[in-house]
Amino acid sequence: MKYPLHTQSNPVVGEAARRLIEAIETGQSITNERALALAKRIAERRRRKAENNAESK
């Protein structure tokens, strides 16, 4: 994805800033719950597909 040259980042404030500070201090990552749920659904779908392919052989 290309971004225009004039794109600027916004400062992190409020709840997002608190979560970022906690993540940095504990060495954890910050995840988007919706994105994490999507990744889990995709992984589950691939696992089921692999199991179905193994059973049919």
Coordinates of all heavy atoms in Angstrom, one line a residue:
M1 N 0.8 -1.2 0.0 CA 0.0 0.0 0.0 C 0.9 1.2 0.0 O 1.8 1.3 0.8 CB -0.9 0.0 1.2 CG -1.7 1.2 1.4 SD -2.8 1.0 2.9 CE -4.3 1.4 2.2
K2 N 0.6 2.2 -0.9 CA 1.4 3.4 -1.0 C 0.7 4.5 -0.2 O -0.5 4.6 -0.2 CB 1.6 3.8 -2.4 CG 2.4 2.8 -3.2 CD 2.7 3.4 -4.6 CE 3.6 2.4 -5.3 NZ 3.9 2.9 -6.7
Y3 N 1.5 5.2 0.6 CA 1.0 6.4 1.3 C 1.5 7.7 0.7 O 2.6 7.7 0.2 CB 1.5 6.3 2.8 CG 0.9 5.1 3.5 CD1 1.6 3.9 3.7 CD2 -0.4 5.2 4.1 CE1 1.1 2.8 4.3 CE2 -0.9 4.1 4.7 CZ -0.2 2.9 4.9 OH -0.7 1.9 5.5
P4 N 0.7 8.7 0.8 CA 1.2 10.0 0.3 C 2.3 10.5 1.1 O 2.4 10.2 2.3 CB 0.0 10.9 0.3 CG -1.0 10.2 1.3 CD -0.7 8.7 1.2
L5 N 3.2 11.3 0.5 CA 4.3 11.8 1.3 C 4.0 12.7 2.4 O 4.7 12.8 3.4 CB 5.3 12.5 0.3 CG 5.9 11.7 -0.8 CD1 6.7 12.5 -1.7 CD2 6.7 10.6 -0.2
H6 N 2.8 13.3 2.4 CA 2.4 14.2 3.5 C 1.7 13.5 4.6 O 1.3 14.2 5.5 CB 1.5 15.3 2.9 CG 0.2 14.8 2.3 ND1 0.2 14.3 1.0 CD2 -1.0 14.7 2.9 CE1 -1.1 13.9 0.8 NE2 -1.8 14.1 1.9
T7 N 1.7 12.2 4.7 CA 1.1 11.5 5.8 C 1.9 11.7 7.0 O 3.1 11.5 7.0 CB 0.9 10.0 5.4 OG1 0.1 9.8 4.3 CG2 0.3 9.2 6.6
Q8 N 1.2 12.0 8.1 CA 1.9 12.1 9.4 C 1.2 11.3 10.4 O 0.0 11.1 10.4 CB 1.8 13.6 9.9 CG 2.6 14.5 9.0 CD 2.6 16.0 9.5 OE1 1.9 16.3 10.5 NE2 3.3 16.8 8.8
S9 N 2.0 10.7 11.4 CA 1.4 9.9 12.4 C 0.8 10.8 13.5 O 1.3 12.0 13.7 CB 2.5 9.1 13.1 OG 3.1 8.2 12.2
N10 N -0.2 10.3 14.1 CA -0.9 11.1 15.2 C -0.3 10.6 16.5 O 0.1 9.4 16.6 CB -2.4 10.8 15.2 CG -3.1 11.5 14.0 OD1 -2.6 12.5 13.5 ND2 -4.1 10.8 13.5
P11 N -0.3 11.5 17.5 CA 0.2 11.0 18.8 C -0.7 10.0 19.5 O -1.9 10.0 19.2 CB 0.3 12.3 19.6 CG -0.7 13.2 19.0 CD -0.7 12.9 17.5
V12 N -0.1 9.2 20.3 CA -0.9 8.2 21.0 C -1.3 8.8 22.3 O -0.5 9.2 23.1 CB -0.1 6.9 21.2 CG1 -0.9 5.8 22.0 CG2 0.4 6.3 19.9
V13 N -2.6 8.8 22.6 CA -3.1 9.4 23.8 C -4.2 8.5 24.4 O -4.7 7.6 23.8 CB -3.7 10.8 23.5 CG1 -2.7 11.8 23.0 CG2 -4.8 10.7 22.5
G14 N -4.5 8.8 25.7 CA -5.6 8.2 26.3 C -5.4 6.7 26.6 O -4.3 6.3 27.0
E15 N -6.4 5.9 26.4 CA -6.4 4.5 26.7 C -5.4 3.8 25.8 O -4.7 2.9 26.2 CB -7.8 3.9 26.4 CG -7.9 2.4 26.6 CD -7.7 2.0 28.0 OE1 -7.9 2.8 28.9 OE2 -7.4 0.8 28.2
A16 N -5.2 4.2 24.5 CA -4.2 3.6 23.7 C -2.8 3.9 24.2 O -2.0 3.0 24.1 CB -4.4 4.2 22.2
A17 N -2.6 5.0 24.7 CA -1.3 5.3 25.3 C -1.0 4.5 26.5 O 0.1 4.0 26.7 CB -1.2 6.8 25.7
R18 N -2.0 4.3 27.4 CA -1.8 3.5 28.6 C -1.5 2.0 28.2 O -0.6 1.4 28.7 CB -3.1 3.5 29.4 CG -2.9 2.8 30.7 CD -4.2 2.6 31.5 NE -5.2 1.8 30.7 CZ -5.2 0.5 30.5 NH1 -4.2 -0.2 31.1 NH2 -6.1 -0.1 29.9
R19 N -2.2 1.5 27.2 CA -2.0 0.1 26.7 C -0.6 0.0 26.1 O 0.1 -1.0 26.3 CB -3.0 -0.3 25.7 CG -4.4 -0.5 26.4 CD -5.4 -0.9 25.4 NE -5.1 -2.2 24.8 CZ -5.6 -2.7 23.7 NH1 -6.4 -2.0 22.9 NH2 -5.2 -3.9 23.2
L20 N -0.1 1.0 25.4 CA 1.2 1.0 24.8 C 2.3 1.0 25.8 O 3.2 0.2 25.7 CB 1.3 2.2 23.8 CG 2.7 2.3 23.1 CD1 3.0 1.0 22.3 CD2 2.7 3.5 22.2
I21 N 2.1 1.8 26.8 CA 3.1 1.9 27.9 C 3.2 0.5 28.6 O 4.3 0.0 28.9 CB 2.8 3.0 28.9 CG1 3.0 4.4 28.2 CG2 3.6 2.9 30.2 CD1 2.5 5.5 28.9
E22 N 2.0 -0.1 29.0 CA 2.0 -1.4 29.6 C 2.7 -2.4 28.8 O 3.4 -3.3 29.3 CB 0.6 -1.8 29.9 CG -0.1 -1.0 31.1 CD -1.5 -1.5 31.3 OE1 -1.9 -2.5 30.7 OE2 -2.2 -0.8 32.1
A23 N 2.4 -2.4 27.5 CA 3.0 -3.4 26.6 C 4.5 -3.3 26.5 O 5.3 -4.3 26.6 CB 2.4 -3.3 25.2
I24 N 5.0 -2.1 26.5 CA 6.5 -1.8 26.5 C 7.1 -2.3 27.8 O 8.1 -2.9 27.7 CB 6.7 -0.3 26.2 CG1 6.3 0.0 24.7 CG2 8.2 0.0 26.4 CD1 6.3 1.5 24.4
E25 N 6.5 -1.9 28.9 CA 7.1 -2.3 30.2 C 7.1 -3.8 30.4 O 8.0 -4.3 31.1 CB 6.3 -1.6 31.3 CG 6.5 -0.1 31.3 CD 5.7 0.7 32.3 OE1 4.7 0.1 32.9 OE2 6.0 1.8 32.6
T26 N 6.1 -4.5 29.9 CA 6.0 -5.9 30.2 C 6.6 -6.8 29.0 O 6.7 -8.0 29.2 CB 4.5 -6.4 30.4 OG1 3.8 -6.0 29.2 CG2 4.0 -5.7 31.6
G27 N 7.0 -6.1 27.9 CA 7.5 -6.8 26.8 C 6.5 -7.6 26.0 O 6.8 -8.5 25.3
Q28 N 5.2 -7.2 26.1 CA 4.2 -7.9 25.4 C 3.9 -7.1 24.1 O 4.5 -6.1 23.8 CB 2.9 -7.9 26.2 CG 3.1 -8.8 27.5 CD 1.8 -8.7 28.3 OE1 1.0 -7.9 28.2 NE2 1.7 -9.7 29.2
S29 N 2.9 -7.6 23.3 CA 2.5 -6.9 22.1 C 1.1 -6.4 22.3 O 0.3 -6.8 23.1 CB 2.6 -7.9 20.9 OG 1.6 -8.9 21.1
I30 N 0.7 -5.5 21.4 CA -0.6 -5.0 21.4 C -1.3 -5.6 20.2 O -0.8 -5.5 19.1 CB -0.6 -3.4 21.3 CG1 0.0 -2.8 22.5 CG2 -2.0 -2.9 21.1 CD1 0.2 -1.3 22.5
T31 N -2.4 -6.2 20.4 CA -3.2 -6.8 19.3 C -4.6 -6.2 19.1 O -5.2 -5.8 20.1 CB -3.3 -8.3 19.5 OG1 -3.9 -8.6 20.7 CG2 -1.9 -9.0 19.5
N32 N -5.0 -6.2 17.9 CA -6.4 -5.8 17.7 C -7.2 -7.0 17.8 O -7.0 -8.0 17.1 CB -6.4 -5.2 16.2 CG -7.8 -4.8 15.8 OD1 -8.8 -5.4 16.2 ND2 -7.8 -3.8 15.0
E33 N -8.2 -7.0 18.7 CA -9.0 -8.2 18.9 C -9.7 -8.7 17.7 O -9.8 -9.9 17.5 CB -10.0 -7.9 20.1 CG -9.4 -7.8 21.5 CD -8.8 -6.5 21.7 OE1 -9.0 -5.5 21.0 OE2 -8.0 -6.4 22.7
R34 N -10.2 -7.8 16.8 CA -10.9 -8.2 15.6 C -9.9 -8.9 14.7 O -10.3 -9.9 14.1 CB -11.6 -7.1 15.0 CG -12.8 -6.5 15.7 CD -13.4 -5.3 15.1 NE -13.9 -5.6 13.7 CZ -14.2 -4.7 12.8 NH1 -14.0 -3.5 13.1 NH2 -14.6 -5.1 11.6
A35 N -8.7 -8.4 14.6 CA -7.7 -9.0 13.7 C -7.3 -10.3 14.2 O -7.1 -11.3 13.5 CB -6.5 -8.1 13.5
L36 N -7.2 -10.4 15.5 CA -6.8 -11.7 16.2 C -7.9 -12.8 16.0 O -7.6 -13.9 15.6 CB -6.5 -11.5 17.7 CG -5.9 -12.7 18.4 CD1 -4.6 -13.1 17.8 CD2 -5.7 -12.3 19.9
A37 N -9.1 -12.4 16.1 CA -10.2 -13.3 15.9 C -10.2 -13.8 14.4 O -10.5 -15.0 14.2 CB -11.5 -12.7 16.2
L38 N -10.0 -12.9 13.5 CA -9.9 -13.2 12.1 C -8.8 -14.2 11.8 O -9.0 -15.3 11.1 CB -9.7 -12.0 11.2 CG -9.5 -12.3 9.7 CD1 -10.8 -12.9 9.1 CD2 -9.2 -11.0 9.0
A39 N -7.6 -14.0 12.4 CA -6.5 -14.9 12.2 C -6.8 -16.3 12.8 O -6.5 -17.3 12.1 CB -5.2 -14.3 12.8
K40 N -7.5 -16.3 13.9 CA -7.8 -17.6 14.5 C -8.8 -18.4 13.6 O -8.7 -19.6 13.4 CB -8.4 -17.4 15.9 CG -7.4 -17.1 16.9 CD -8.0 -16.9 18.3 CE -6.9 -16.6 19.3 NZ -7.5 -16.4 20.7
R41 N -9.8 -17.6 13.0 CA -10.8 -18.3 12.2 C -10.1 -18.8 10.9 O -10.4 -20.0 10.5 CB -11.9 -17.3 11.8 CG -12.9 -17.0 12.8 CD -14.1 -16.4 12.3 NE -13.9 -15.2 11.5 CZ -13.8 -13.9 11.9 NH1 -13.9 -13.7 13.2 NH2 -13.6 -13.0 11.0
I42 N -9.2 -18.1 10.3 CA -8.4 -18.5 9.2 C -7.6 -19.8 9.5 O -7.6 -20.7 8.7 CB -7.6 -17.4 8.6 CG1 -8.5 -16.3 8.0 CG2 -6.6 -17.9 7.5 CD1 -7.7 -15.0 7.6
A43 N -6.9 -19.7 10.6 CA -6.1 -20.9 11.0 C -7.0 -22.1 11.3 O -6.6 -23.2 10.8 CB -5.3 -20.5 12.3
E44 N -8.1 -22.0 11.9 CA -9.0 -23.1 12.1 C -9.5 -23.6 10.8 O -9.6 -24.9 10.6 CB -10.2 -22.6 13.0 CG -11.2 -23.7 13.3 CD -10.6 -24.9 14.1 OE1 -9.6 -24.7 14.8 OE2 -11.2 -26.0 14.0
R45 N -9.9 -22.8 9.9 CA -10.4 -23.2 8.6 C -9.3 -24.0 7.8 O -9.6 -25.1 7.3 CB -10.8 -22.0 7.7 CG -11.5 -22.3 6.5 CD -11.9 -21.1 5.7 NE -12.4 -20.1 6.5 CZ -12.1 -18.8 6.3 NH1 -11.3 -18.4 5.4 NH2 -12.6 -17.8 7.1
R46 N -8.1 -23.5 7.9 CA -7.0 -24.2 7.2 C -6.7 -25.6 7.9 O -6.4 -26.6 7.2 CB -5.7 -23.4 7.2 CG -5.8 -22.2 6.3 CD -4.5 -21.4 6.3 NE -4.6 -20.3 5.4 CZ -3.6 -19.5 5.1 NH1 -2.4 -19.7 5.7 NH2 -3.7 -18.5 4.2
R47 N -6.8 -25.6 9.2 CA -6.6 -26.9 10.0 C -7.6 -27.9 9.6 O -7.3 -29.1 9.3 CB -6.6 -26.6 11.5 CG -6.3 -27.9 12.3 CD -6.5 -27.7 13.8 NE -7.9 -27.3 14.1 CZ -8.9 -28.2 14.1 NH1 -8.6 -29.5 13.9 NH2 -10.1 -27.9 14.5
R48 N -8.9 -27.5 9.5 CA -10.0 -28.4 9.1 C -9.8 -28.9 7.7 O -10.0 -30.0 7.4 CB -11.3 -27.7 9.3 CG -11.9 -27.8 10.7 CD -13.2 -27.2 10.8 NE -13.0 -25.7 10.9 CZ -13.9 -24.8 10.4 NH1 -15.0 -25.2 9.8 NH2 -13.6 -23.6 10.4
K49 N -9.4 -28.0 6.8 CA -9.2 -28.3 5.4 C -8.1 -29.4 5.3 O -8.2 -30.4 4.6 CB -8.9 -27.1 4.6 CG -8.7 -27.4 3.1 CD -8.5 -26.1 2.3 CE -8.4 -26.4 0.9 NZ -8.1 -25.2 0.1
A50 N -7.0 -29.2 6.1 CA -5.9 -30.1 6.0 C -6.3 -31.5 6.6 O -6.0 -32.5 6.0 CB -4.7 -29.6 6.8
E51 N -7.1 -31.5 7.6 CA -7.6 -32.7 8.2 C -8.5 -33.5 7.2 O -8.5 -34.7 7.1 CB -8.4 -32.5 9.5 CG -7.5 -32.1 10.7 CD -8.3 -31.8 11.9 OE1 -9.5 -31.8 11.9 OE2 -7.7 -31.6 13.0
N52 N -9.4 -32.7 6.6 CA -10.3 -33.3 5.6 C -9.5 -33.9 4.4 O -9.9 -35.0 3.9 CB -11.3 -32.3 5.1 CG -12.3 -31.9 6.1 OD1 -12.5 -32.7 7.1 ND2 -13.0 -30.8 6.0
N53 N -8.5 -33.2 4.0 CA -7.7 -33.7 2.9 C -6.9 -35.0 3.3 O -6.8 -35.9 2.5 CB -6.7 -32.7 2.4 CG -7.4 -31.6 1.6 OD1 -8.5 -31.7 1.1 ND2 -6.7 -30.4 1.5
A54 N -6.5 -35.0 4.5 CA -5.8 -36.2 5.0 C -6.7 -37.4 5.1 O -6.3 -38.5 4.9 CB -5.1 -35.9 6.4
E55 N -7.9 -37.2 5.5 CA -8.9 -38.3 5.7 C -9.3 -38.8 4.3 O -9.6 -40.0 4.2 CB -10.1 -37.8 6.4 CG -9.9 -37.5 7.9 CD -11.1 -36.9 8.6 OE1 -12.2 -36.7 7.9 OE2 -11.0 -36.6 9.7
S56 N -9.4 -38.0 3.3 CA -9.9 -38.4 2.0 C -8.8 -39.2 1.2 O -9.1 -39.8 0.2 CB -10.4 -37.2 1.2 OG -9.3 -36.4 0.9
K57 N -7.5 -39.2 1.6 CA -6.5 -39.9 0.9 C -6.3 -41.3 1.4 O -6.7 -41.8 2.3 CB -5.1 -39.1 1.1 CG -5.1 -37.8 0.4 CD -3.7 -37.2 0.5 CE -3.7 -35.9 -0.2 NZ -2.4 -35.2 -0.2

